[in-house]
């Protein structure tokens, strides 16, 4: 009686455990996991775009990790090594790529490289127009100078949903070429993403409609394409990664006072100290908006709301 009960209690867990072990042993990775395209992108929003179009067939990593600055980023040796497994690299022409692109390409000769800016009407980077007496802490080394002279146009193309639609079309075509078996999925995902972007575009237009003051003050001018699409003017504080010198700063403060700016926008990848100093001088507050958020649509809605709010709508 007793031994029988014990044996049942002992045996049952053993059987369950054995079943689990057998199950785990047989659970080979699903075909979807094996077949996934390995894709690297330069910045986080691009990761979101590739995932929107690629769905379950892609595994995407962003080179510039969260919290880091694409203007000064250096890929880690681990990231460069991981490129040997990649099928595709999607570049956006952000400044670190001007220095690193050759290394990135040579890490894997078979890897395709898609330039997300192809066919996009690039604008030039906004600079504050109050003289050239920069006194910033950066751009002193040769490498920094190279970063800045190598920049061709404003690299922050993804802040415009209209441009993202174009980029999504190129991503779709590239994925179909690399993985024609899932062409239907890529087309369907692309269509859904375009619908999302169209809705986003309409929402932003509605949020910014009737905002009387179309100018907004921003530390790092990452919002040029957004501003161009929605009839806004970004007024940058820094220029090409450098803080303005004392003369430019005085002029800027005078200008901000005249325009009665209530908010200075900063982004998390930059030290807000300098913007806070300007804000104090003009009695404005500092508000953070992030051009590198992976949560693309919700983030852009928040940005439109913040700009409308700062303008007093
Ligand atoms: Zn930037």
């Amino acid at each position: 009686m007793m031994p029988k009960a014990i044996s049942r209690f002992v045996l049952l867990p053993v059987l369950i455990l054995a079943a689990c072990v057998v199950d785990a042993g047989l659970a080979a990775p699903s075909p979807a996991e094996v077949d996934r395209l390995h894709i690297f992108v330069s910045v986080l929003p691009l990761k979101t775009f590739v995932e929107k179009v690629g769905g379950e067939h892609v595994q995407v990593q962003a080179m510039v990790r969260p919290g880091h600055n694409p203007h000064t980023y250096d890929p880690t040796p681990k990231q460069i090594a991981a490129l040997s497994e990649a099928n595709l690299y999607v570049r956006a022409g952000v400044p670190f790529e001007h220095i690193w692109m050759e290394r990135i390409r040579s890490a894997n000769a078979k890897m395709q490289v898609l330039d997300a800016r192809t066919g996009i009407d690039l604008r030039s980077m906004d600079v504050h127009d109050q003289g050239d007496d920069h006194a910033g802490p950066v751009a002193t080394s040769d490498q920094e100078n190279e970063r800045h002279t190598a920049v061709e146009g404003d690299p922050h193309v993804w802040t415009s949903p209209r441009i993202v639609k174009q980029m999504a079309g190129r991503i779709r075509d590239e994925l179909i070429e690399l993985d024609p078996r899932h062409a239907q999925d890529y087309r369907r995902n692309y269509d859904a993403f375009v619908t999302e972007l169209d809705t986003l575009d309409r929402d932003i237009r509605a949020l910014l409609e009737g905002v009387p003051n179309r100018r907004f003050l921003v530390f790092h001018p990452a919002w040029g394409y957004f501003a161009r699409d929605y009839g806004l003017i970004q007024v940058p504080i820094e220029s090409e990664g450098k803080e303005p010198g004392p003369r430019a700063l005085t002029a800027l403060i005078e200008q901000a006072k005249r325009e009665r700016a209530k908010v200075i926008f900063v982004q998390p990848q930059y030290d807000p100290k300098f913007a806070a100093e300007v804000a104090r001088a003009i009695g404005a507050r500092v508000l953070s908006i992030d051009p590198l958020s992976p949560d693309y649509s919700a983030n852009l809605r928040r940005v439109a709301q913040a700009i409308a709010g700062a303008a007093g709508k």
Side-chain angles (χ1 to χ4, degrees), residues 266-283:
V266 293
Q267 69 183 76
Q269 299 79 16
Y270 287 81
D271 185 352
K273 216 171 57 197
F274 190 79
E277 203 180 297
V278 178
R280 238 190 332 271
I282 62 172

Side-chain angles (χ1 to χ4, degrees), residues 79-81 83-85 102-109 111:
Q79 287 182 309
I80 295 293
L83 286 168
S84 65
E85 305 280 308
E102 227 166 286
R103 291 272 299 280
I104 288 170
R105 277 182 201 276
S106 62
N108 178 353
M111 178 180 70

Side-chain angles (χ1 to χ4, degrees), residues 5-277:
I6 287 170
S7 73
R8 196 185 298 147
F9 279 117
V10 172
L11 202 58
L12 195 61
V14 169
L15 280 174
I16 290 170
L17 191 68
C20 288
V21 168
V22 169
D23 202 31
L26 290 177
S30 70
E33 275 168 46
V34 171
D35 291 350
R36 273 188 190 174
L37 293 172
H38 290 256
I39 300 172
F40 265 90
V41 299
S42 50
V43 289
L44 280 167
L46 263 61
K47 177 175 189 276
T48 303
F49 309 154
V50 174
E51 284 171 347
K52 290 275 182 186
V53 180
E56 58 181 357
H57 308 305
V58 296
Q59 191 186 314
V60 193
Q61 292 178 68
M63 199 52 103
V64 181
R65 289 166 297 145
H68 289 260
N69 187 330
H71 290 263
T72 52
Y73 189 73
D74 289 321
T76 65
K78 210 173 145 195
Q79 287 182 309
I80 295 293
L83 286 168
S84 65
E85 305 280 308
N87 306 94
L88 173 67
Y89 182 93
V90 185
R91 67 176 301 200
V94 292
F96 90 88
E97 290 176 317
H98 295 298
I99 289 172
W100 280 90
M101 215 49 228
E102 227 166 286
R103 291 272 299 280
I104 288 170
R105 277 182 201 276
S106 62
N108 178 353
K110 284 194 218 125
M111 178 180 70
Q112 295 293 310
V113 175
L114 171 67
D115 192 330
R117 299 167 301 173
T118 312
I120 289 165
D121 175 21
L122 293 177
R123 63 190 296 284
S124 53
M125 192 80 175
D126 284 329
V127 291
H128 64 83
D129 50 2
Q130 316 291 343
D132 53 4
D133 59 336
H134 288 295
V138 292
T140 44
S141 69
D142 286 349
Q143 203 187 35
E144 277 301 333
N145 286 331
E146 198 185 331
R147 284 186 206 278
H148 290 293
T149 50
V151 171
E152 328 129 356
D154 182 346
H156 311 89
V157 284
W158 61 89
T159 60
S160 153
R162 197 175 50 86
I163 290 176
V164 173
K165 260 165 79 169
Q166 281 177 267
M167 286 166 48
R170 298 202 181 277
I171 291 166
R172 175 204 56 201
D173 295 345
E174 187 68 40
L175 295 183
I176 291 174
E177 211 172 300
L178 286 169
D179 177 27
R181 280 192 308 138
H182 298 117
Q184 282 300 90
D185 291 349
Y186 297 136
R187 288 198 188 96
R188 199 179 47 237
N189 294 344
Y190 164 82
D191 288 343
F193 188 34
V194 163
T195 305
E196 179 186 330
L197 291 168
D198 284 339
T199 307
L200 173 64
D201 181 58
R202 263 198 310 278
D203 290 353
I204 295 172
R205 267 175 219 291
L207 281 164
L208 293 168
E209 202 185 280
V211 169
N213 184 1
R214 309 305 290 184
R215 297 163 76 89
F216 62 102
L217 207 57
V218 62
F219 181 73
H220 176 63
W223 299 95
Y225 294 92
F226 183 88
R228 183 172 76 179
D229 274 11
Y230 299 107
L232 302 164
I233 299 158
Q234 67 171 354
V235 180
I237 292 180
E238 59 111 272
S239 168
E240 292 170 7
K242 291 166 272 187
E243 292 174 356
R247 202 152 43 89
L249 181 60
T250 309
L252 189 73
I253 288 173
E254 287 312 311
Q255 184 193 352
K257 276 182 182 162
R258 272 200 308 278
E259 289 174 12
R260 289 195 274 274
K262 297 271 188 295
V263 177
I264 294 176
F265 292 104
V266 293
Q267 69 183 76
Q269 299 79 16
Y270 287 81
D271 185 352
K273 216 171 57 197
F274 190 79
E277 203 180 297

